[in-house]
Amino acid sequence: MNLALLVAKRAACKFHETGVVFVDKNHRIISLGYNGPTEGDEHCLEVGCAKVDGDPKTGKVKRCRGSHAEINGIINCQDTRRLRGSTAYAVLFPCYDCMKSLNNAGVKEIVYYGEYKRIQTGGENFEEENEAKELAEKRGMIVRQVQPKNIATFVVPQEDRCEC
């Protein structure tokens, strides 16, 4: 879980600093991912959240431009067959869209630290997503929340944060 927390420090989202680490049955790392904008898009930490602050040019509130940690971890794995039977260590419980992708990739277990709450457009409220847990239960995925006894604290100076 500490590695997922460290990976999350690369996130470029001002609302959800999250990361994920996928491991095989022997606990070898398969892939990792963190949330942030799609390749070549603007970073929320630099220009604001499209869903809350709006488009930096027009001010119009738009959909989130970020790609979630789980999706990036699936992409980074390069060969998704390696994810069959794997365990995902996630800082936040996956949203419903990510859970659908994890299910399709064959992830068998999800170990998470905190609950995910989707920010509503405008940023004034958050909402829970029960569908993700329902899907995991329906598909027989093992889900467990952990509260590690030894959590490493990572401080990444702003100048060292991801500029990708």
Side-chain angles (χ1 to χ4, degrees):
M1 188 56 70
N2 277 324
L3 185 53
L5 289 162
L6 178 61
V7 169
K9 293 297 180 187
R10 291 190 53 86
C13 174
K14 62 193 229 178
F15 293 103
H16 296 105
E17 186 177 87
T18 188
V20 65
V21 177
F22 293 95
V23 299
D24 65 18
K25 64 181 179 182
N26 295 314
H27 303 284
R28 292 186 187 116
I29 296 170
I30 299 170
S31 184
L32 7 119
Y34 54 90
N35 60 329
T38 59
E39 186 174 339
D41 205 348
E42 298 166 309
H43 285 237
C44 300
L45 296 176
E46 296 170 359
V47 300
C49 174
K51 196 171 181 179
V52 175
D53 305 312
D55 183 280
K57 294 180 179 85
T58 66
K60 181 181 176 183
V61 174
K62 295 183 173 182
R63 292 186 63 185
C64 173
R65 58 177 139 329
S67 179
H68 289 192
E70 297 86 351
I71 301 302
N72 285 328
I74 291 169
I75 292 167
N76 291 341
C77 135
Q78 298 181 352
D79 182 355
T80 56
R81 292 175 295 185
R82 297 176 64 207
L83 294 172
R84 283 250 164 242
S86 68
T87 299
Y89 288 88
V91 173
L92 297 177
F93 189 80
C95 74
Y96 183 49
D97 289 332
C98 288
M99 185 62 78
K100 291 185 284 187
S101 295
L102 294 171
N103 176 55
N104 285 346
V107 174
K108 72 165 184 165
E109 183 176 7
I110 297 165
V111 180
Y112 70 101
Y113 180 65
E115 296 291 338
Y116 171 77
K117 292 187 179 179
R118 182 180 299 279
I119 187 166
Q120 293 180 341
T121 301
E124 296 177 16
N125 295 306
F126 291 85
E127 61 185 331
E128 291 185 25
E129 290 190 343
N130 298 323
E131 299 91 350
K133 287 185 179 172
E134 291 169 3
L135 175 60
E137 184 177 325
K138 179 180 177 182
R139 297 297 298 140
M141 298 168 87
I142 300 164
V143 174
R144 57 188 173 99
Q145 186 172 15
V146 295
Q147 296 297 323
K149 293 178 182 143
N150 298 313
I151 298 176
T153 303
F154 304 102
V155 178
V156 180
Q158 189 64 33
E159 63 271 11
D160 292 338
R161 291 194 71 135
C162 176
E163 293 185 23
C164 40

